[in-house]
Amino acid sequence: MDGPTIRTVFGNELRGALRDRTLTTHFIVIPLLLYPVLLWLGITVALLYDAGSEDTSYRVGISPGLDPALAGELRADPSIDAFFASSGAETGGPGGGFDATAGPVPGGDGLPGGCVITADLSTDRGRTAAGVLEGLARDVRAAGFARLRDSLGIGRAEWEVFRISTSNEAGGRDMGGFILGLLLPATFAVMVSIGCFYTAVDATAGERERGTIETLLSTGADRFSILAGKYLSVLVSGMTSGLLNTASMILCVSAILGPLLRSEGEEISFAVEPGAAFSAVFASALLSALLSALMIASSSLARNYKEGQAMVTPVYLLSVLPVIFMQDPSISFSVSTAAVPVLNAALLLRDSLTGPAEPLPMVISAVSTALFCLAALWAASSLLSREEAAFPGEATGKRSLYSLLRGRRNTGHA
Amino acid sequence: MPDSAVTAVDLCKSFVDDSRGVIRAVDEVSFHVDRGEVLGILGVNGAGKTTTLRMLATLIEPTSGTASVDGHDVREDPKAARRSLGFLSSTTALYPRLTARETLRFFARMNGYPRERLEERVEKVVEMMSIGSYADTRIERLSTGMKQKVSIGRAMVHDPPVLVFDEPAAGLDVLNAHEMLAMIESLRDCGHAVVFSTHVMSEAERICSRIAVIHQGRILAEGTVPGLLERTRADTLEDAFVSLVESARV
């Protein structure tokens, strides 16, 4: 390996990537703006929904014999247009059918009377109307209980019999770490992957499509150093993507979610401890190192962007796997999970947000990732040393990937 | 051949094709090129010119035979062989997002040019190629002729003793082709050994010290233009070429 060659290729690849709008969009702009845009969209949609729901009213039929208190509540509720129905739920009021109907259930055999709510629960309006009716019916029942308690002369505390309350001993910082741990790791893996994806394809398949691979391989540089320089540039773009995305999420959550939770009486801090920040950088490096190597290796076979994207997609999907395991809180960053690539980085990030990570699993993660990376880079280097790497399909008269895989090694392997 | 910058001895290259079987693209090709000399490799499309030159550039490995560039064997020390030559073909493209000056800098570094003299050398090449007016413009914004000038600069920026040009005028208009041939002449006059492949007779006639006619992977004849004319009793190089190829077919 030749240090100056690695530095030169690395600088060239990174400069090229920073000058390409598509690449910068994928490894800088999207990771940075994803959460602000998502939050803005979420808030806008929520506001629109609230504004729309304020004007919405539900047509509710009141069947004869319904508890007068409940009937009164229904008529008084502004979100309900109540109509007296002469018979069952299907009876239409003026202009069409009801969203829901409320009818009486007679008491007897030791059971109290009440109401039955009928609605078409396969429709949004039916479900919402039934929910509103149920809420009002519960209020009427609660008022009934209060009247009974008063008539029996029982105090409030006696009536409650057994009080339950929960106290949260976690501090504001712990809760902030917990919330970030829920939100971050899943998208973190995807973002690192996106950051690596396009730069890897550009550095390999893009080089062939542009016709620069022959120019590059005709220089007096050794193949592995060229590959190492390209690998480092992909790694840096993946790490940049992951870290920008993490910073963006923490800022968004602190600036928007924090004040909202504080207004609800929750004191939550989203400040990140230095240890957690180090772990985030370490996790980002682990994931980028592995995905870069795998993506470089898989796209080394490709002759153009289209083929490169198709070949890198399985690696991209691999990065989505941790999302599945993240849902299980019993899986944590430990000696056994530290050896599993991709998952180890996501778990390390999640767990480090709620407490310091153990050094031994971190070492195991680094070793495991290094082994996978070396295997992938060895494969990529072998492919780059074949004649068809510079002239895919041309020299042998074949255009299949199979020909590339079984092609002759060229003399420029030094 | 004590002063030969390039020697090729019995170079062979075979490919395997599923439908056509074993193809002998280059068949026992031998030649040498001295410093300050331009060897023209003349042949029709598919004659084996590009494969021969790619073997010199160590981009593909000879099936048998050997070659050396500035004393470095292409099999034993391919890295040193590549550092001793500048390779340019119609398929060696430039990085579109780099400027012309950045391109020269990048390829000088890739070929191990001393860091302390790099900037001076880049500026010299910029001046030699007369590309100063667009040296800081990205390659993607340059015309074909401008790109070709930068390409030649790219091939010679590390000051290699040997230059290999594979059909460098392909796709260029008359004026740009003329200018490019003039540059190759000046490189020859500066003492570089140049291997130049083409199928355009006038180009070969103008700049080549010697010519090797290659057909179906074999060298049919090698010599100066007057020597070839005399051997084939032809009036023009084109007639001499046709005569050699026709006699090989028989």
Side-chain angles (χ1 to χ4, degrees):
Chain A
M1 276 214 291
D2 176 20
T5 301
I6 295 174
R7 274 200 305 276
T8 304
V9 175
F10 168 72
N12 184 48
E13 291 292 331
L14 213 57
R15 186 191 290 122
L18 288 169
R19 286 178 182 175
D20 185 287
R21 270 190 212 152
T22 311
L23 296 182
T24 46
T25 301
H26 282 96
F27 84 87
I28 294 178
V29 179
I30 291 179
L32 206 56
L33 298 183
L34 178 72
Y35 294 115
V37 170
L38 279 181
L39 275 170
W40 174 77
L41 276 175
I43 290 169
T44 307
V45 169
L47 288 173
L48 285 173
Y49 181 80
D50 274 359
S53 62
E54 275 172 15
D55 301 332
T56 306
S57 61
Y58 300 96
R59 296 169 59 80
V60 172
I62 301 172
S63 298
L66 183 70
D67 181 88
L70 180 55
E73 290 286 338
L74 288 173
R75 281 197 298 274
D77 194 296
S79 68
I80 286 175
D81 290 334
F83 300 93
F84 285 105
S86 55
S87 58
E90 69 282 3
T91 303
F98 296 119
D99 294 313
T101 60
V105 174
D109 294 333
L111 291 169
C115 83
V116 59
I117 297 162
T118 309
D120 179 357
L121 298 181
S122 70
T123 65
D124 190 47
R125 287 186 67 84
R127 274 199 312 279
T128 314
V132 172
L133 282 183
E134 204 174 314
L136 291 172
R138 284 181 198 282
D139 290 345
V140 169
R141 185 172 63 177
F145 278 133
R147 281 197 301 279
L148 178 63
R149 188 189 68 208
D150 293 344
S151 68
L152 293 172
I154 300 172
R156 204 183 176 106
E158 288 171 276
W159 181 260
E160 204 168 329
V161 181
F162 190 80
R163 233 173 90 194
I164 302 166
S165 72
T166 306
S167 168
N168 183 6
E169 65 174 5
R173 190 163 272 193
D174 296 328
M175 285 307 293
F178 171 72
I179 292 170
L180 286 175
L182 284 178
L183 299 172
L184 253 179
T187 49
F188 170 76
V190 174
M191 278 300 135
V192 170
S193 193
I194 286 177
C196 296
F197 192 111
Y198 290 95
T199 39
V201 173
D202 187 68
T204 50
E207 188 101 52
R208 289 209 182 84
E209 191 167 284
R210 288 188 295 267
T212 47
I213 188 83
E214 190 181 345
T215 323
L216 186 64
L217 295 181
S218 69
T219 61
D222 67 277
R223 305 292 192 254
F224 195 81
S225 298
I226 292 175
L227 184 77
K230 286 177 175 288
Y231 168 69
L232 283 179
S233 73
V234 179
L235 191 153
V236 166
S237 66
M239 266 187 82
T240 306
S241 184
L243 292 174
L244 283 178
N245 187 247
T246 304
S248 168
M249 170 172 265
I250 292 170
L251 283 175
C252 276
V253 166
S254 314
I256 297 166
L257 200 57
L260 280 175
L261 290 169
R262 270 193 289 280
S263 69
E264 298 287 320
E266 299 268 5
E267 267 312 315
I268 291 180
S269 163
F270 294 101
V272 178
E273 301 274 355
F278 171 76
S279 297
V281 174
F282 186 74
S284 176
L286 276 184
L287 199 57
S288 304
L290 181 73
L291 293 177
S292 306
L294 292 176
M295 286 181 178
I296 285 264
S298 53
S299 59
S300 292
L301 296 164
R303 291 166 302 180
N304 51 44
Y305 259 94
K306 201 172 156 188
E307 267 189 18
Q309 287 177 344
M311 287 168 177
V312 170
T313 298
V315 182
Y316 172 73
L317 292 175
L318 176 74
S319 72
V320 182
L321 273 181
V323 179
I324 301 164
F325 295 102
M326 289 294 108
Q327 310 306 316
D328 185 351
S330 68
I331 299 177
S332 62
F333 185 63
S334 62
V335 170
S336 52
T337 54
V340 184
V342 183
L343 179 65
N344 54 12
L347 285 175
L348 168 62
L349 182 67
R350 186 191 72 181
D351 292 7
S352 64
L353 288 166
T354 50
E358 294 292 323
L360 182 60
M362 286 175 81
V363 172
I364 293 172
S365 299
V367 172
S368 154
T369 302
L371 290 175
F372 277 99
C373 288
L374 282 174
L377 290 177
W378 174 82
S381 175
S382 300
L383 289 167
L384 198 66
S385 299
R386 296 183 186 280
E387 288 173 3
E388 291 86 340
F391 321 105
E394 185 189 321
T396 58
K398 295 175 187 173
R399 300 224 164 247
S400 64
L401 292 174
Y402 176 66
S403 71
L404 188 60
L405 283 168
R406 69 172 201 180
R408 288 173 62 87
R409 183 181 290 272
N410 73 13
T411 53
H413 188 59
Chain B
M1 296 172 284
D3 201 29
S4 291
V6 179
T7 55
V9 181
D10 294 336
L11 272 184
C12 290
K13 182 66 186 178
S14 301
F15 297 121
V16 180
D17 185 89
D18 286 340
S19 56
R20 294 185 290 166
V22 177
I23 300 164
R24 224 166 158 78
V26 174
D27 195 2
E28 295 184 347
V29 164
S30 300
F31 59 83
H32 69 96
V33 191
D34 296 336
R35 292 166 215 283
E37 186 183 44
V38 178
L39 174 73
I41 297 185
L42 209 60
V44 294
N45 291 333
K49 305 186 295 287
T50 297
T51 306
T52 303
L53 299 188
R54 281 176 178 172
M55 282 191 281
L56 285 184
T58 81
L59 290 165
I60 53 177
E61 184 183 14
T63 308
S64 65
T66 188
S68 71
V69 178
D70 198 33
H72 305 289
D73 191 287
V74 295
R75 284 174 183 274
E76 302 298 322
D77 196 357
K79 193 171 153 183
R82 284 198 302 274
R83 286 194 172 189
S84 301
L85 67 80
F87 180 68
L88 179 114
S89 80
S90 53
T91 52
T92 47
L94 298 173
Y95 290 95
R97 297 173 211 139
L98 295 188
T99 66
R101 189 173 265 118
E102 286 166 347
T103 299
L104 298 178
R105 214 173 274 147
F106 173 70
F107 282 100
R109 279 187 192 142
M110 288 299 285
N111 284 296
Y113 198 82
R115 210 175 179 82
E116 60 278 7
R117 288 190 280 129
L118 190 136
E119 287 306 320
E120 189 190 334
R121 175 67 185 165
V122 166
E123 292 315 312
K124 191 176 175 187
V125 173
V126 166
E127 196 184 318
M128 275 168 69
M129 307 308 295
S130 308
I131 56 174
S133 59
Y134 51 88
D136 294 313
T137 306
R138 286 197 203 174
I139 299 294
E140 61 196 349
R141 293 177 195 147
L142 301 182
S143 69
T144 310
M146 289 169 168
K147 280 180 190 166
Q148 195 67 357
K149 276 188 173 184
V150 179
S151 278
I152 295 172
R154 185 274 302 164
M156 54 175 279
V157 69
H158 57 294
D159 200 15
V162 177
L163 289 154
V164 177
F165 294 124
D166 182 16
E167 299 192 19
L172 291 184
D173 60 41
V174 178
L175 288 178
N176 281 314
H178 182 82
E179 202 171 348
M180 199 210 56
L181 293 176
M183 276 172 202
I184 294 174
E185 280 177 318
S186 72
L187 288 168
R188 178 196 63 196
D189 297 342
C190 289
H192 291 275
V194 181
V195 188
F196 174 82
S197 96
T198 184
H199 55 253
V200 182
M201 306 297 146
S202 58
E203 288 178 0
E205 213 162 3
R206 177 179 155 185
I207 65 165
C208 295
S209 320
R210 285 183 298 117
I211 285 172
V213 176
I214 188 168
H215 186 65
Q216 292 181 336
R218 297 185 73 93
I219 289 191
L220 302 179
E222 192 200 323
T224 59
V225 175
L228 288 176
L229 294 179
E230 190 182 325
R231 179 175 160 178
T232 55
R233 293 175 188 169
D235 293 331
T236 63
L237 183 61
E238 189 171 329
D239 290 341
F241 177 79
V242 172
S243 164
L244 285 165
V245 171
E246 298 266 297
S247 60
R249 278 183 185 157
V250 175

